[in-house]
Amino acid sequence: MKKINSTCEQHREELLTHTVMPAFFVHKKTERKQTHIHLKSQRPACVEKAMQTLTQPTDVTLEEYVPDSFLCSGGTEGYQDAISCKGDSGGSLFLQKRMRFFQVGVLSWGTINVCDASRNKQGSSSRPPPEARDFHIDLFKIIPWLKRHLGKDIQFLH
């Protein structure tokens, strides 16, 4: 999707066009699982689920805990979104557009470890509880920072 003289933000706008975008992540290094990324007006309700993981009392704001450099996925109404397990972190979040796959994020953390055997009643990766969410580093937000700090060491991103 290399466009001449286009910014990361322009690429992001072209790929992440809707408020809810179907996407995939790699589960247990072998399986492709489907989820949905919540964007624009849908993002705040998704991100709100992160508050469940904060230990109270805290003075950390939601914006500090889940900055806009994170994408939020899971819990999409009308769909059965898969949720990651401990060990899936670092894997790619990607979507398909016109028969091509584009990585848009890197899995960072989730609100619930649905694969923990001691919490079996919490569901599974494919049938998680409705409040489960995953958070991914938004590559479009981090690439400008990488270019600024690594310069010529990452010329392949130019």
Side-chain angles (χ1 to χ4, degrees), residues 2-77:
K2 188 122 176 152
K3 290 187 167 189
I4 297 173
N5 296 325
S6 61
T7 65
C8 282
E9 192 58 37
Q10 289 167 322
H11 283 257
R12 186 181 196 278
E13 287 172 17
E14 179 144 339
L15 286 172
L16 301 174
T17 55
H18 303 292
T19 56
V20 177
M21 292 292 303
F24 304 93
F25 67 92
V26 178
H27 174 62
K28 297 189 177 188
K29 299 182 178 30
T30 59
E31 276 183 87
R32 180 172 73 178
K33 296 279 192 161
Q34 186 165 19
T35 191
H36 289 80
I37 305 168
H38 297 264
L39 303 157
K40 302 171 186 164
S41 64
Q42 295 293 310
R43 186 178 187 276
C46 187
V47 170
E48 186 69 32
K49 298 295 182 183
M51 291 302 283
Q52 299 169 2
T53 64
L54 274 175
T55 306
Q56 299 298 332
T58 182
D59 59 353
V60 174
T61 67
L62 190 55
E63 291 76 28
E64 290 170 325
Y65 195 49
V66 186
D68 71 350
S69 57
F70 278 92
L71 296 168
C72 183
S73 67
T76 310
E77 192 172 317

